[in-house]
Amino acid sequence: MMTASLSTPHRARDHKPYESQDRIILHFDYDCFYASVFENENPSLKSLPVGVKQKSILATCNYVARGKGVKKLMLISEAQKLCPDLVLVNGEDLTKFRDASKKLWGFLRSHSWNKRVERLGLDEVFMDVSDIISYNEQLLNPNSLAESFFQLSDQDPEKGFTFDATSLFGCTYPSQPSIQEETWGSPLYVRLLLSSHLAGYLRHKLEEDFGYTSTCGVSTNKTLAKLAGTKNKPKNQTTLMSLTGEVVQRFMDEHQIRKIPGMGFRTSHLVENHVLSRTSEAIPHDDEHSAKITTREVLEHPSMSSAVLEKVLGGPGTEHGIGLKVWNLLHGIDNAAVKEASDVPSQISIEDTYMSKPINTQAELLRELCSLSASLMRRMHVDLMDEDSTTESPESRKWLAHPKTLRLSTRTRSKLGTESQSRENFSRSSRSQPLPTFVFSLKEGPEMIAERLVNDAILPLFRRLHNERQGWNLALINICVTNMVLTGNEDGIGGGRDISVMFRTQDAKLKEFTVYDNSPQANPYVADASGLECMKQSPQEQSKQDSDIESVGWEEEDGYTHVCPLCGNTIPQFALPAHERFHALGE
Ligand code: TTP
Ligand code: MG
């Protein structure tokens, strides 16, 4: 049942927030990323339908497969029915995806002047190019627009590319913007035009030099850039022509609120319930009515305002000012900065899930802990050590940063008691302690150190988590090192700057844009699942939480993705029903 608001359109226009449009943000999303990594390794795959397998589902598939009806996160059996000649490749080891992601990010970063180039998960990058655009705006010669030159360096005037500045590059929203005469000369129009050509150039280079096609959104903030990019996929780009406030609002109005990054699953539900005049009871993820609620419907709801949203969304444990934040997002306003790139990850987290065969014995536990610990040590050597000295003897290499904290998290599975509740109950718990300094020794190999780490630190943490000697039913184990301290000198800890505070502050502001990769080797450049709540808290509260046990349903990881309580995989909002169906069918 729709509410009366739809028949009596109304808007509290006087409360419309304002945002300056000085920034230019590009949002890149590589097309069918994991599949492209395999295609680059083996170009003969390009013409075939390819699916990337992770356990029983497709993490992704290429566009040839998509043309045959195959979709991301589909069950493999379902995909094979639709496309019997689907070529399956195993995507469970994330190393090659991580390496490709780092390489592409490095390329984009090398074109940034302000170094605001932020990765989101492995295949998305935000780039704040405001400074490059301002510089080129000054250089534009109105008398020879068709033969313009875009300068990629403010030091070397020859470094750049030629372009035709009489028109924008790629697609625009609206598709045929009604450009008034005066808008041709408007600074924002010129900035968007220049940005569209820069985006086109960078996309071209990503394809030519590295073999990756991408989709790009161009706008004045992160939310708008990310949403704009989704308008024309794959291998394309869209510039949001936000020359008037009406264009931005029209653009936002069309979107279902669930699709707006930063809205969050729970937040969307509460707002949807309010608009549909429903109580706040849980609603199935695939509820059709809720899923269709658009920004327009929310804003046209009687007496809608940031104060009403604060009432609907606020309450114990919620972020202060959530009403205003959502109100702003619905108007396309997002002041979040693009994070300055860091060479060092905020933490490194390694995990595996054991859904079909939970861990129950000491022997299994020891084997898994040693294997995860060895992966962690290898990852620390790759991500936290000086790259330039890799060819020299291992002992001459230097640590760029030292993590100070070791955290062990586990998730157990246990059947709920009553028959009416057929789903299984999952709970996750964590314990932390200082990371022993012997892990930084370069005299022993990573495997030896990994074993010692298990005996001296990880097993004691495990015993603090689980009293029983066996029969834990472990469905997930995660080992994480965090609280990075940059090394100020080669002697290490204490000589450096604690960057964890910086990460916490940034992450708190930007958590809605953070994607959590919970696959076997988690993305080291973002905080992990258990870090999310910690970001809102002081270190004291964080350590308190470390010893709390939470019961989980679908865990909201950020505004866009969720951790499945059954397998621990990170699932985007749109794929929740499919993913639940996958579990309902059994593994
Ligand atoms: P996406 O950008 O969502 O997907 P994609 O790049 O494969 O396809 P598109 O062209 O639509 O952008 O995710 C990036 C990669 O992350 C994807 O290649 C596989 C991986 N992934 C998972 O492992 N699990 C998931 O649930 C999703 C959505 C993606
Ligand atoms: Mg992608």
Side-chain angles (χ1 to χ4, degrees):
M1 184 192 71
M2 286 287 160
T3 62
S5 64
L6 300 181
S7 52
T8 53
H10 154 97
R11 278 197 182 197
R13 292 199 178 274
D14 43 345
H15 295 304
K16 209 168 159 188
Y18 168 81
E19 181 182 32
S20 102
Q21 295 199 307
D22 294 344
R23 292 185 301 161
I24 294 285
I25 313 292
L26 310 183
H27 173 260
F28 294 89
D29 182 333
Y30 312 130
D31 300 324
C32 56
F33 182 52
Y34 287 10
S36 297
V37 172
F38 284 102
E39 287 180 357
N40 274 309
E41 256 179 18
N42 177 4
S44 68
L45 289 175
K46 285 189 183 182
S47 55
L48 305 171
V50 177
V52 180
K53 176 180 177 315
Q54 277 180 350
K55 306 209 166 158
S56 316
I57 58 170
L58 287 183
T60 192
C61 52
N62 68 2
Y63 279 83
V64 180
R66 291 187 204 190
K68 300 188 177 200
V70 179
K71 294 200 172 102
K72 292 190 265 194
L73 296 174
M74 210 174 227
L75 273 174
I76 301 226
S77 51
E78 210 176 321
Q80 282 174 322
K81 262 186 227 147
L82 283 165
C83 178
D85 54 343
L86 184 68
V87 178
L88 287 174
V89 288
N90 191 319
E92 276 162 26
D93 179 357
L94 302 189
T95 312
K96 62 173 86 164
F97 311 132
R98 195 188 342 248
D99 291 346
S101 169
K102 210 170 168 181
K103 191 170 62 183
L104 301 179
W105 172 74
F107 165 79
L108 290 173
R109 190 178 180 230
S110 71
H111 284 77
S112 172
W113 295 1
N114 56 23
K115 298 299 168 210
R116 290 189 181 279
V117 188
E118 177 189 344
R119 289 210 295 177
L120 173 59
L122 293 184
D123 95 322
E124 293 178 48
V125 175
F126 286 105
M127 200 169 165
D128 183 331
V129 294
S130 314
D131 51 353
I132 308 179
I133 297 302
S134 295
Y135 187 83
N136 278 279
E137 196 181 345
Q138 310 301 321
L139 300 178
L140 211 54
N141 180 352
N143 300 320
S144 58
L145 288 176
E147 289 95 36
S148 296
F149 186 77
F150 195 109
Q151 255 182 245
L152 290 169
S153 162
D154 54 358
Q155 308 294 318
D156 176 359
E158 286 182 17
K159 191 172 171 227
F161 58 92
T162 52
F163 71 105
D164 177 0
T166 58
S167 62
L168 274 101
F169 187 85
C171 303
T172 58
Y173 176 97
S175 49
Q176 279 160 345
S178 56
I179 307 292
Q180 312 292 334
E181 202 142 300
E182 65 270 21
T183 55
W184 277 99
S186 100
L188 183 57
Y189 177 83
V190 175
R191 289 163 68 75
L192 290 170
L193 179 140
L194 287 166
S195 315
S196 72
H197 285 279
L198 176 59
Y201 170 82
L202 293 172
R203 286 183 43 247
H204 173 76
K205 294 294 279 181
L206 284 171
E207 186 174 358
E208 282 294 298
D209 297 356
F210 302 94
Y212 289 87
T213 65
S214 59
T215 296
C216 187
V218 181
S219 190
T220 50
N221 69 39
K222 289 168 78 173
T223 298
L224 292 174
K226 186 167 160 73
L227 284 174
T230 63
K231 293 294 151 200
N232 295 284
K233 286 181 72 165
K235 224 177 165 174
N236 214 329
Q237 63 180 69
T238 307
T239 303
L240 178 63
M241 301 305 291
S242 52
L243 301 174
T244 62
E246 279 67 35
V247 172
V248 174
Q249 198 53 60
R250 189 148 33 100
F251 177 74
M252 291 306 298
D253 275 359
E254 292 171 1
H255 285 92
Q256 291 163 9
I257 60 167
R258 291 182 176 198
K259 300 263 167 78
I260 301 174
M263 274 298 287
F265 194 65
R266 213 170 289 124
T267 304
S268 306
H269 267 324
L270 289 172
V271 176
E272 287 159 0
N273 283 349
H274 180 74
V275 170
L276 294 167
S277 306
R278 288 202 290 216
T279 60
S280 316
E281 283 160 19
I283 294 173
H285 300 301
D286 53 356
D287 176 80
E288 267 188 35
H289 249 71
S290 311
K292 290 191 182 130
I293 297 293
T294 60
T295 302
R296 183 195 312 277
E297 285 165 79
V298 176
L299 293 180
E300 287 180 352
H301 192 261
S303 61
M304 181 54 71
S305 66
S306 63
V308 168
L309 287 170
E310 184 70 39
K311 237 189 244 164
V312 170
L313 301 169
T318 54
E319 187 185 334
H320 181 68
I322 177 93
L324 182 60
K325 183 186 150 190
V326 169
W327 180 250
N328 282 341
L329 273 180
L330 294 174
H331 287 90
I333 291 190
D334 168 21
N335 293 309
V338 176
K339 273 196 226 178
E340 226 176 283
S342 164
D343 284 330
V344 174
S346 60
Q347 63 180 39
I348 298 177
S349 163
I350 304 284
E351 72 179 32
D352 206 352
T353 52
Y354 313 98
M355 285 310 302
S356 44
K357 200 171 177 306
I359 305 285
N360 276 310
T361 67
Q362 290 282 348
E364 289 166 348
L365 177 69
L366 203 61
R367 188 191 62 219
E368 290 309 317
L369 290 181
C370 284
S371 150
L372 290 171
S373 177
S375 302
L376 178 72
M377 288 312 307
R378 281 194 291 273
R379 205 66 231 168
M380 280 173 63
H381 279 234
V382 171
D383 286 344
L384 300 181
M385 293 195 81
D386 192 346
E387 245 177 71
D388 299 337
S389 43
T390 45
T391 49
E392 297 167 28
S393 74
E395 284 177 45
S396 68
R397 296 187 62 194
K398 288 177 195 146
W399 289 94
L400 297 170
H402 290 106
K404 293 202 296 187
T405 303
L406 172 71
R407 182 168 62 224
L408 173 72
S409 307
T410 60
R411 200 191 285 273
T412 55
R413 58 189 292 185
S414 57
K415 289 269 183 215
L416 285 178
T418 59
E419 278 191 18
S420 59
Q421 290 164 300
S422 58
R423 281 181 68 156
E424 286 166 301
N425 185 28
F426 287 78
S427 63
R428 179 179 182 130
S429 46
S430 312
R431 290 289 186 281
S432 312
Q433 68 153 65
L435 180 66
T437 49
F438 65 75
V439 299
F440 303 116
S441 162
L442 299 174
K443 296 200 169 83
E444 292 163 285
E447 272 70 22
M448 292 271 288
I449 294 177
E451 220 177 292
R452 189 167 161 208
L453 187 65
V454 170
N455 287 321
D456 290 13
I458 300 175
L459 274 175
L461 281 177
F462 185 83
R463 287 190 203 107
R464 281 168 57 199
L465 278 172
H466 301 277
N467 294 326
E468 313 80 21
R469 288 198 57 77
Q470 56 186 12
W472 316 281
N473 251 349
L474 297 177
L476 172 147
I477 303 176
N478 175 300
I479 306 176
C480 168
V481 288
T482 181
N483 285 341
M484 293 289 170
V485 173
L486 295 178
T487 49
N489 55 53
E490 63 186 278
D491 296 330
I493 306 174
R497 189 161 62 91
D498 187 344
I499 56 170
S500 56
V501 175
M502 178 183 90
F503 277 121
R504 258 199 297 280
T505 320
Q506 288 180 337
D507 287 344
K509 277 195 213 137
L510 300 162
K511 65 180 187 297
E512 62 268 33
F513 292 103
T514 309
V515 162
Y516 296 86
D517 176 359
N518 279 356
S519 319
Q521 291 178 317
N523 173 12
Y525 289 88
V526 296
D528 75 351
S530 48
L532 179 69
E533 290 305 317
C534 303
M535 290 167 198
K536 293 185 212 154
Q537 301 166 347
S538 66
Q540 289 80 3
E541 287 167 318
Q542 184 173 332
S543 65
K544 176 176 158 289
Q545 181 184 309
D546 273 344
S547 57
D548 284 341
I549 295 183
E550 14 151 8
S551 273
V552 288
W554 279 95
E555 281 181 17
E556 185 179 331
E557 284 289 32
D558 60 272
Y560 194 61
T561 58
H562 307 266
V563 168
C564 172
L566 298 171
C567 65
N569 274 322
T570 303
I571 309 296
Q573 207 156 295
F574 75 86
L576 293 183
H579 194 71
E580 282 202 331
R581 198 166 67 245
F582 147 62
H583 282 301
L585 289 169
E587 289 181 78

